[in-house]
Amino acid sequence: MIYFDKVTKLYGNSAALEDINFSIEPGEFISIVGHSGAGKTTLMKMLLAEERPTSGDVFFQSANIHDVSRNTLNQIRRRIGTIFQDFRLLPYKTAYENIAFAMEAAGRTDEEIYSDVPHVLELVDLGDKLNHFPHQLSGGEQQRVAIARAIVNQPDVIMADEPTGNLDPVNTFEVIQILKKVNDLGTTVILTTHNKGVIDSLKKRVITMDRGRIIRDDKEGVYVL
Ligand code: ADP
């Protein structure tokens, strides 16, 4: 369903990605690990078509995402929910409003917003904090709001780029548990992380990158760097 075909990305003379080939099946939970500068973020950007490959192709559900109309690309991007290390919530909106805003942007109706926002906040165990602003929430809670926002429009894929990078071990555990739950409900999850404990406890597929190349692709991987 996601397929990287001989993808190379050069910045000047240096390769951020070099001959990347792999595919991800629907429903997989895949982690991408590698030292800083290994190419993980560039890989994620390729998938959102925020950057163009120097050579090679990226396919999403059989569409070559660097070769589709702007309209189709926007539709594809709506199939991918994103979560980042720094949460990226709107500071002057409550948890409820942050999620409602994402639904409005996707053209959902007021009735859908009214019924789905409390439901998705329940799913991330924040049913009692829907009127809290981000500054009234802990880092872990803010990240759970961000997960709720990412999943509310029922994407096929969740892309989580270092989602636990700012969190303590307890909150890291909770965020990973929620991502597992989202995956169990059928959504593909792509996670980048530096956290060895997370990788070793997941027991899911791990792609290890080094200097722009995939050096390992393990079905039930452990963190080997
Ligand atoms: P990671 O996410 O694994 O830390 P990145 O994908 O951010 O790695 O970066 C991979 C390599 O590409 C690094 O050497 C980085 O310096 C380089 N790079 C990333 N983005 C740019 C850019 N916009 N311009 C030039 N070099 C870049």
Side-chain angles (χ1 to χ4, degrees):
M1 160 225 226
I2 291 168
Y3 176 40
F4 277 65
D5 184 24
K6 303 191 192 75
V7 173
T8 291
K9 176 67 181 177
L10 301 176
Y11 287 114
N13 285 332
S14 67
L17 297 177
E18 200 170 340
D19 194 27
I20 297 293
N21 296 286
F22 71 102
S23 57
I24 303 175
E25 296 303 319
E28 269 198 89
F29 191 129
I30 179 168
S31 303
I32 299 174
V33 304
H35 293 300
S36 185
K40 305 180 296 294
T41 302
T42 307
L43 195 77
M44 296 290 206
K45 285 183 178 164
M46 291 289 153
L47 190 52
L48 290 170
E50 285 176 4
E51 297 269 1
R52 266 198 105 74
T54 307
S55 60
D57 297 299
V58 180
F59 295 90
F60 184 86
Q61 292 169 349
S62 77
N64 182 335
I65 60 162
H66 294 96
D67 195 22
V68 293
S69 66
R70 171 60 47 181
N71 215 359
T72 306
L73 181 58
N74 285 336
Q75 284 170 17
I76 289 173
R77 284 179 174 154
R78 270 190 230 119
R79 308 308 314 147
I80 305 174
T82 49
I83 303 164
F84 299 97
Q85 179 169 351
D86 55 359
F87 320 136
R88 303 195 188 176
L89 299 176
L90 298 167
Y92 301 112
K93 289 189 185 288
T94 62
Y96 183 101
E97 290 164 350
N98 263 280
I99 297 165
F101 188 73
M103 294 183 73
E104 281 163 25
R108 308 278 299 276
T109 64
D110 287 350
E111 289 73 30
E112 287 174 314
I113 291 172
Y114 187 72
S115 79
D116 289 5
V117 176
H119 178 70
V120 79
L121 279 167
E122 283 293 335
L123 195 76
V124 298
D125 297 326
L126 285 175
D128 55 341
K129 304 237 162 124
L130 73 181
N131 291 320
H132 283 54
F133 290 92
H135 71 88
Q136 297 171 315
L137 298 168
S138 73
E141 288 170 341
Q142 290 183 56
Q143 193 60 299
R144 274 144 59 193
V145 175
I147 294 174
R149 179 180 59 181
I151 62 177
V152 75
N153 292 318
Q154 295 161 342
D156 300 317
V157 179
I158 290 287
M159 224 178 67
D161 196 3
E162 289 280 356
T164 62
N166 285 338
L167 303 181
D168 63 28
V170 171
N171 282 304
T172 293
F173 177 78
E174 285 178 1
V175 161
I176 295 300
Q177 287 306 111
I178 290 169
L179 288 176
K180 279 170 82 172
K181 187 155 91 175
V182 169
N183 178 247
D184 286 340
L185 294 170
T187 309
T188 307
V189 177
I190 308 173
L191 168 74
T192 74
T193 183
H194 278 105
N195 191 317
K196 177 172 166 31
V198 164
I199 293 296
D200 292 348
S201 70
L202 273 170
K203 300 191 174 57
K204 303 272 190 187
R205 181 175 171 200
V206 179
I207 283 184
T208 307
M209 296 187 67
D210 182 39
R211 283 167 284 183
R213 287 183 166 272
I214 292 178
I215 57 166
R216 298 178 67 114
D217 185 347
D218 297 293
K219 206 156 175 245
E220 272 190 30
V222 289
Y223 196 94
V224 290
L225 289 171

